Amino acid sequence: DVKVTQSSRYLVKRTGEKVFLECVQDMDHENMFWYRQDPGLGLRLIYFSYDVKMKEKGDIPEGYSVSREKKERFSLILESASTNQTSMYLCASSTQVHWDYNEQFFGPGTRLTVL
Amino acid sequence: SQQGEEDPQALSIQEGENATMNCSYKTSINNLQWYRQNSGRGLVHLILIRSNEREKHSGRLRVTLDTSKKSSSLLITASRAADTASYFCATDGMDSSYKLIFGSGTRLLVRP
């Protein structure tokens, strides 16, 4: 079974802190994604990566950066956390083997609160 | 940008009844997927239907796709309390099959 793990289920940080959210997948997937989920807005893509050291902006990249130094790990960084970044953060991965079957596998999510 | 939009936003039914959720999207797609999310958890893939398919079944799930209307429906038959969750449709774009665009979801409550 594909497993996607995220470093924390719940996180509380203060405004201005630097925050790292880690995501690890164990299925050798090429693609990895970071979403945030807010009530009524569904999932919005922050960044995604299709290869090691490659990254591409999603719909809402402002205030975030990412790092992918190893294939299995994709990190989301909030350089200076703000209260409007309080949200549920979801990591996902998918393979490039079949271009027309692009199911994504999700981690359990990290609920981040910025005070 | 929102691609899939689910309807209704919330649905409450009795156990044993069928639940139907709809999804509309805006641009051409390669496939459309449905995901389920239990409260406070990650999403789980339910079913994928390709653009050249019209209907697909998986257990108690039935998905239809009408590309001329840019819409899909998810039917859960003989619902159970354990089906209580949020359901999301997701579409890819013809220009990028890796990225998915998710709708805002339908919250389903199945009353015992």
Coordinates of all heavy atoms in Angstrom, one line a residue, chain A residues 44-104:
Chain A
R44 N -6.8 23.7 -2.5 CA -6.1 24.6 -3.4 C -4.6 24.3 -3.4 O -4.0 24.1 -2.4 CB -6.3 26.1 -3.0 CG -7.7 26.6 -3.1 CD -7.8 28.0 -2.6 NE -7.6 28.2 -1.2 CZ -7.5 29.3 -0.6 NH1 -7.4 30.5 -1.3 NH2 -7.3 29.3 0.7
L45 N -4.1 24.2 -4.7 CA -2.7 23.7 -4.8 C -1.7 24.9 -4.5 O -1.8 26.0 -5.1 CB -2.5 23.2 -6.3 CG -1.1 22.7 -6.6 CD1 -0.8 21.4 -5.8 CD2 -1.1 22.4 -8.1
I46 N -0.8 24.6 -3.7 CA 0.2 25.6 -3.3 C 1.5 25.4 -4.2 O 1.9 26.4 -4.9 CB 0.7 25.4 -1.8 CG1 -0.5 25.5 -0.9 CG2 1.7 26.5 -1.4 CD1 -0.2 25.1 0.5
Y47 N 2.1 24.3 -4.2 CA 3.2 23.9 -5.0 C 3.1 22.5 -5.4 O 2.5 21.7 -4.7 CB 4.5 24.1 -4.3 CG 5.2 25.5 -4.4 CD1 5.0 26.5 -3.4 CD2 6.0 25.8 -5.5 CE1 5.6 27.7 -3.5 CE2 6.6 27.0 -5.6 CZ 6.4 28.0 -4.6 OH 7.0 29.2 -4.7
F48 N 3.8 22.1 -6.5 CA 4.0 20.7 -6.8 C 5.4 20.5 -7.3 O 6.0 21.4 -7.8 CB 2.9 20.1 -7.6 CG 3.0 20.3 -9.1 CD1 3.5 19.3 -9.9 CD2 2.6 21.5 -9.7 CE1 3.6 19.5 -11.3 CE2 2.7 21.7 -11.0 CZ 3.2 20.7 -11.8
S49 N 5.8 19.2 -7.3 CA 7.1 18.9 -7.8 C 7.0 17.6 -8.6 O 6.4 16.6 -8.2 CB 8.1 18.6 -6.6 OG 9.3 18.0 -7.0
Y50 N 7.6 17.6 -9.8 CA 7.5 16.4 -10.7 C 8.9 15.7 -10.7 O 9.0 14.7 -11.5 CB 7.0 16.8 -12.1 CG 7.8 18.0 -12.7 CD1 8.9 17.7 -13.4 CD2 7.4 19.3 -12.5 CE1 9.7 18.7 -14.0 CE2 8.1 20.3 -13.1 CZ 9.2 20.0 -13.8 OH 9.9 21.1 -14.4
D51 N 9.8 16.2 -10.0 CA 11.1 15.5 -10.0 C 12.0 16.1 -8.8 O 11.7 17.2 -8.4 CB 11.9 15.7 -11.3 CG 12.9 14.6 -11.5 OD1 13.2 13.8 -10.6 OD2 13.5 14.6 -12.6
V52 N 13.0 15.4 -8.5 CA 13.9 15.9 -7.4 C 14.4 17.3 -7.9 O 14.8 17.5 -9.0 CB 15.0 14.9 -7.1 CG1 16.0 15.5 -6.1 CG2 14.5 13.6 -6.6
K53 N 14.4 18.2 -6.9 CA 14.9 19.6 -7.1 C 14.1 20.4 -8.1 O 14.4 21.5 -8.4 CB 16.4 19.6 -7.6 CG 17.3 19.0 -6.5 CD 18.8 19.3 -6.8 CE 19.7 18.7 -5.9 NZ 19.6 19.2 -4.5
M54 N 13.0 19.8 -8.6 CA 12.1 20.6 -9.5 C 10.8 21.0 -8.8 O 10.3 20.2 -8.0 CB 11.7 19.7 -10.7 CG 12.9 19.2 -11.5 SD 14.0 20.5 -12.1 CE 13.0 21.2 -13.4
K55 N 10.4 22.2 -9.0 CA 9.2 22.6 -8.4 C 8.4 23.5 -9.3 O 9.0 24.2 -10.2 CB 9.5 23.3 -7.1 CG 10.3 24.6 -7.3 CD 10.7 25.2 -5.9 CE 11.6 26.4 -6.2 NZ 12.1 27.0 -4.9
E56 N 7.1 23.6 -9.1 CA 6.3 24.5 -9.9 C 5.2 25.1 -9.0 O 4.6 24.4 -8.2 CB 5.6 23.7 -11.0 CG 5.1 24.5 -12.2 CD 4.8 23.7 -13.4 OE1 5.7 22.9 -13.9 OE2 3.7 23.8 -13.9
K57 N 5.0 26.4 -9.2 CA 3.9 27.0 -8.4 C 2.6 26.5 -8.8 O 2.3 26.3 -9.9 CB 4.0 28.6 -8.7 CG 5.3 29.2 -8.1 CD 5.3 30.7 -8.4 CE 6.6 31.3 -7.9 NZ 6.6 32.8 -8.2
G58 N 1.8 26.5 -7.7 CA 0.4 26.1 -7.9 C -0.5 27.4 -8.0 O 0.0 28.5 -8.5
D59 N -1.7 27.4 -7.5 CA -2.6 28.5 -7.5 C -2.3 29.6 -6.5 O -2.6 30.7 -6.7 CB -4.0 28.0 -7.4 CG -4.4 27.1 -8.6 OD1 -4.0 27.4 -9.7 OD2 -5.1 26.1 -8.3
I60 N -1.8 29.1 -5.3 CA -1.6 30.1 -4.2 C -0.2 29.9 -3.6 O -0.1 29.6 -2.4 CB -2.7 29.9 -3.1 CG1 -2.8 28.4 -2.7 CG2 -4.1 30.4 -3.6 CD1 -3.6 28.2 -1.4
P61 N 0.8 30.2 -4.3 CA 2.2 30.0 -3.8 C 2.7 31.1 -2.8 O 3.7 30.9 -2.1 CB 3.0 30.0 -5.0 CG 2.3 30.9 -6.0 CD 0.8 30.7 -5.7
E62 N 2.0 32.2 -2.8 CA 2.5 33.4 -2.1 C 2.6 33.1 -0.6 O 1.7 32.6 0.0 CB 1.6 34.6 -2.2 CG 1.5 35.1 -3.7 CD 0.6 34.3 -4.6 OE1 -0.3 33.5 -4.0 OE2 0.7 34.4 -5.8
G63 N 3.8 33.4 0.0 CA 4.0 33.1 1.4 C 4.6 31.8 1.7 O 4.8 31.4 2.9
Y64 N 4.7 31.0 0.7 CA 5.2 29.6 0.8 C 6.4 29.3 -0.1 O 6.6 30.0 -1.1 CB 4.2 28.6 0.5 CG 2.9 28.7 1.2 CD1 1.8 29.4 0.7 CD2 2.7 28.1 2.4 CE1 0.6 29.6 1.4 CE2 1.5 28.2 3.1 CZ 0.5 28.9 2.6 OH -0.7 29.0 3.2
S65 N 7.3 28.4 0.4 CA 8.3 27.9 -0.5 C 8.4 26.4 -0.3 O 7.8 25.9 0.7 CB 9.7 28.5 -0.3 OG 10.1 28.3 1.1
V66 N 9.1 25.7 -1.1 CA 9.2 24.2 -1.0 C 10.6 23.8 -1.3 O 11.4 24.5 -1.8 CB 8.2 23.5 -2.0 CG1 6.7 23.7 -1.6 CG2 8.5 23.9 -3.4
S67 N 10.8 22.5 -0.9 CA 12.1 21.9 -1.1 C 11.9 20.4 -1.4 O 11.2 19.8 -0.7 CB 13.0 22.1 0.2 OG 14.2 21.4 0.1
R68 N 12.6 20.0 -2.4 CA 12.6 18.5 -2.7 C 14.0 18.1 -3.0 O 14.4 18.1 -4.2 CB 11.7 18.2 -3.8 CG 11.4 16.7 -3.9 CD 10.2 16.4 -4.7 NE 10.0 14.9 -4.7 CZ 9.4 14.3 -5.7 NH1 8.8 15.0 -6.7 NH2 9.2 13.0 -5.7
E69 N 14.8 17.7 -2.0 CA 16.1 17.3 -2.1 C 16.2 15.8 -2.4 O 17.2 15.3 -3.0 CB 16.9 17.6 -0.9 CG 17.0 19.1 -0.7 CD 17.8 19.8 -1.8 OE1 18.8 19.3 -2.2 OE2 17.3 20.9 -2.2
K70 N 15.2 15.0 -2.0 CA 15.2 13.6 -2.2 C 13.8 13.2 -2.8 O 12.8 13.9 -2.5 CB 15.4 12.8 -0.9 CG 16.8 13.0 -0.3 CD 17.0 12.1 0.9 CE 18.5 12.2 1.4 NZ 18.7 11.3 2.6
K71 N 13.8 12.2 -3.5 CA 12.6 11.8 -4.2 C 11.4 11.6 -3.3 O 10.3 11.9 -3.6 CB 12.8 10.6 -5.1 CG 11.7 10.2 -6.1 CD 12.1 9.1 -6.9 CE 11.0 8.8 -8.0 NZ 11.4 7.7 -8.9
E72 N 11.7 11.0 -2.1 CA 10.6 10.6 -1.2 C 10.1 11.7 -0.3 O 9.1 11.6 0.4 CB 11.0 9.4 -0.4 CG 12.1 9.7 0.6 CD 13.5 9.5 0.1 OE1 13.7 9.5 -1.2 OE2 14.5 9.4 0.9
R73 N 10.8 12.8 -0.3 CA 10.5 13.9 0.7 C 10.2 15.2 0.0 O 11.0 15.7 -0.8 CB 11.7 14.0 1.6 CG 11.4 14.9 2.8 CD 12.7 14.9 3.7 NE 13.0 13.6 4.2 CZ 12.6 13.1 5.4 NH1 11.8 13.9 6.2 NH2 12.9 11.9 5.8
F74 N 9.1 15.8 0.5 CA 8.7 17.2 -0.1 C 8.4 18.0 1.1 O 7.4 17.7 1.8 CB 7.6 17.0 -1.0 CG 7.2 18.1 -1.9 CD1 8.2 19.0 -2.4 CD2 5.9 18.4 -2.3 CE1 7.9 20.1 -3.2 CE2 5.6 19.5 -3.1 CZ 6.6 20.3 -3.6
S75 N 9.1 19.1 1.3 CA 8.9 20.0 2.4 C 8.2 21.3 2.0 O 8.5 21.9 0.9 CB 10.2 20.3 3.1 OG 10.9 19.1 3.5
L76 N 7.3 21.7 2.8 CA 6.6 23.0 2.6 C 7.1 24.0 3.7 O 7.1 23.6 4.9 CB 5.1 22.9 2.7 CG 4.3 24.1 2.6 CD1 4.4 24.6 1.1 CD2 2.8 23.9 3.0
I77 N 7.5 25.2 3.3 CA 8.1 26.1 4.3 C 7.3 27.4 4.3 O 7.0 27.9 3.2 CB 9.6 26.4 3.9 CG1 10.4 25.1 3.8 CG2 10.2 27.4 4.9 CD1 11.5 25.1 2.9
L78 N 6.9 27.8 5.5 CA 6.3 29.1 5.7 C 7.4 30.0 6.2 O 7.8 29.8 7.4 CB 5.1 29.0 6.6 CG 3.8 28.4 6.1 CD1 4.0 26.9 5.8 CD2 2.7 28.6 7.1
E79 N 7.9 30.9 5.4 CA 9.1 31.7 5.9 C 8.8 32.5 7.1 O 9.6 32.7 8.0 CB 9.6 32.6 4.7 CG 10.1 31.8 3.5 CD 11.5 31.1 3.8 OE1 12.2 31.5 4.8 OE2 11.8 30.2 3.1
S80 N 7.6 33.1 7.1 CA 7.2 33.9 8.2 C 5.7 33.8 8.4 O 4.9 34.4 7.7 CB 7.6 35.4 8.0 OG 7.1 36.2 9.0
A81 N 5.3 32.9 9.3 CA 3.9 32.5 9.4 C 3.0 33.7 9.7 O 3.4 34.5 10.5 CB 3.8 31.4 10.4
S82 N 1.9 33.7 9.1 CA 0.9 34.7 9.4 C -0.5 34.0 9.7 O -0.7 32.8 9.4 CB 0.7 35.6 8.2 OG 0.2 34.9 7.1
T83 N -1.3 34.7 10.4 CA -2.6 34.1 10.9 C -3.4 33.7 9.7 O -4.2 32.7 9.9 CB -3.4 35.2 11.7 OG1 -3.6 36.4 11.0 CG2 -2.7 35.5 13.0
N84 N -3.3 34.3 8.5 CA -4.1 33.8 7.4 C -3.6 32.5 6.8 O -4.1 32.0 5.8 CB -4.3 34.9 6.3 CG -3.0 35.3 5.7 OD1 -2.0 34.7 5.9 ND2 -3.0 36.4 5.0
Q85 N -2.5 32.0 7.3 CA -2.0 30.7 6.9 C -2.5 29.6 7.8 O -2.1 28.4 7.7 CB -0.5 30.7 6.8 CG 0.0 31.6 5.7 CD 1.5 31.7 5.6 OE1 2.2 31.9 6.6 NE2 2.0 31.5 4.4
T86 N -3.3 29.9 8.8 CA -4.0 28.9 9.6 C -4.9 28.1 8.7 O -5.8 28.6 8.0 CB -4.8 29.5 10.7 OG1 -4.0 30.1 11.7 CG2 -5.7 28.5 11.4
S87 N -4.7 26.8 8.6 CA -5.4 25.9 7.7 C -5.0 24.5 7.9 O -4.2 24.1 8.7 CB -5.0 26.4 6.2 OG -5.8 25.7 5.3
M88 N -5.7 23.6 7.1 CA -5.3 22.2 7.0 C -4.4 22.1 5.8 O -4.8 22.5 4.7 CB -6.5 21.3 6.8 CG -6.2 19.9 6.5 SD -5.5 19.0 7.8 CE -7.0 18.0 8.3
Y89 N -3.2 21.5 6.0 CA -2.3 21.3 4.9 C -2.2 19.8 4.5 O -2.0 19.0 5.4 CB -0.9 21.8 5.2 CG -0.9 23.3 5.3 CD1 -1.3 24.0 6.5 CD2 -0.6 24.1 4.2 CE1 -1.3 25.4 6.6 CE2 -0.6 25.5 4.2 CZ -1.0 26.1 5.4 OH -1.0 27.5 5.5
L90 N -2.4 19.5 3.3 CA -2.4 18.1 2.8 C -1.3 17.9 1.8 O -1.2 18.7 0.8 CB -3.8 17.8 2.1 CG -5.0 17.8 3.1 CD1 -6.3 17.9 2.3 CD2 -4.9 16.5 3.9
C91 N -0.6 16.8 2.0 CA 0.4 16.4 1.0 C -0.1 15.3 0.2 O -0.9 14.4 0.7 CB 1.7 16.0 1.8 SG 3.0 15.4 0.7
A92 N 0.3 15.2 -1.0 CA -0.1 14.0 -1.9 C 1.0 13.7 -2.8 O 1.9 14.5 -3.1 CB -1.4 14.4 -2.7
S93 N 0.9 12.4 -3.3 CA 1.9 12.0 -4.3 C 1.2 11.2 -5.4 O 0.1 10.7 -5.2 CB 3.0 11.2 -3.7 OG 2.5 9.9 -3.3
S94 N 1.8 11.2 -6.6 CA 1.3 10.3 -7.7 C 2.5 9.9 -8.6 O 3.5 10.5 -8.6 CB 0.3 11.1 -8.5 OG 0.8 12.2 -9.2
T95 N 2.2 8.9 -9.4 CA 3.2 8.4 -10.3 C 3.0 9.0 -11.7 O 1.9 9.4 -12.0 CB 3.2 6.8 -10.3 OG1 4.2 6.4 -11.2 CG2 1.8 6.4 -10.9
Q96 N 4.1 8.9 -12.4 CA 4.0 9.4 -13.8 C 4.0 8.2 -14.8 O 4.0 8.4 -16.0 CB 5.3 10.2 -14.2 CG 5.3 11.5 -13.4 CD 6.6 12.3 -13.8 OE1 7.3 12.0 -14.7 NE2 6.8 13.4 -13.0
V97 N 3.9 7.0 -14.2 CA 4.0 5.8 -15.1 C 2.8 5.8 -16.1 O 3.1 5.5 -17.3 CB 3.9 4.5 -14.2 CG1 3.8 3.3 -15.1 CG2 5.2 4.4 -13.3
H98 N 1.6 6.1 -15.7 CA 0.5 6.1 -16.6 C -0.1 7.5 -16.6 O -0.7 8.0 -15.7 CB -0.6 5.1 -16.1 CG -0.1 3.7 -16.1 ND1 0.2 3.0 -17.2 CD2 0.1 2.9 -15.0 CE1 0.6 1.8 -16.8 NE2 0.5 1.7 -15.5
W99 N 0.1 8.2 -17.7 CA -0.2 9.6 -17.8 C -1.7 9.9 -17.6 O -2.1 10.9 -17.1 CB 0.3 10.3 -19.1 CG -0.5 9.7 -20.3 CD1 -0.2 8.7 -21.0 CD2 -1.7 10.3 -20.8 NE1 -1.1 8.5 -22.0 CE2 -2.1 9.4 -21.9 CE3 -2.5 11.3 -20.5 CZ2 -3.2 9.7 -22.7 CZ3 -3.7 11.6 -21.3 CH2 -4.0 10.8 -22.3
D100 N -2.5 8.9 -18.0 CA -3.9 9.1 -18.0 C -4.6 8.4 -16.7 O -5.8 8.3 -16.6 CB -4.6 8.6 -19.2 CG -4.5 7.1 -19.4 OD1 -3.6 6.5 -18.7 OD2 -5.3 6.5 -20.1
Y101 N -3.7 7.9 -15.8 CA -4.3 7.4 -14.6 C -3.5 8.1 -13.5 O -2.5 7.5 -13.0 CB -4.2 5.9 -14.5 CG -5.1 5.3 -13.5 CD1 -6.4 4.9 -13.8 CD2 -4.7 5.3 -12.1 CE1 -7.2 4.4 -12.8 CE2 -5.5 4.8 -11.1 CZ -6.8 4.4 -11.5 OH -7.6 3.9 -10.5
N102 N -3.9 9.2 -13.1 CA -3.1 10.1 -12.2 C -3.7 10.2 -10.8 O -3.8 11.3 -10.2 CB -2.9 11.4 -12.8 CG -4.2 12.0 -13.4 OD1 -5.3 11.4 -13.1 ND2 -4.2 13.1 -14.1
E103 N -4.1 9.1 -10.2 CA -4.6 9.1 -8.9 C -3.6 9.6 -7.9 O -2.4 9.3 -8.0 CB -5.0 7.6 -8.5 CG -5.3 7.4 -7.0 CD -5.4 6.0 -6.7 OE1 -5.3 5.1 -7.6 OE2 -5.6 5.7 -5.5
Q104 N -4.1 10.4 -7.0 CA -3.2 11.0 -6.0 C -3.4 10.3 -4.7 O -4.6 10.0 -4.3 CB -3.4 12.5 -5.9 CG -2.9 13.3 -7.1 CD -2.9 14.8 -6.9 OE1 -3.1 15.3 -5.9 NE2 -2.6 15.5 -8.0

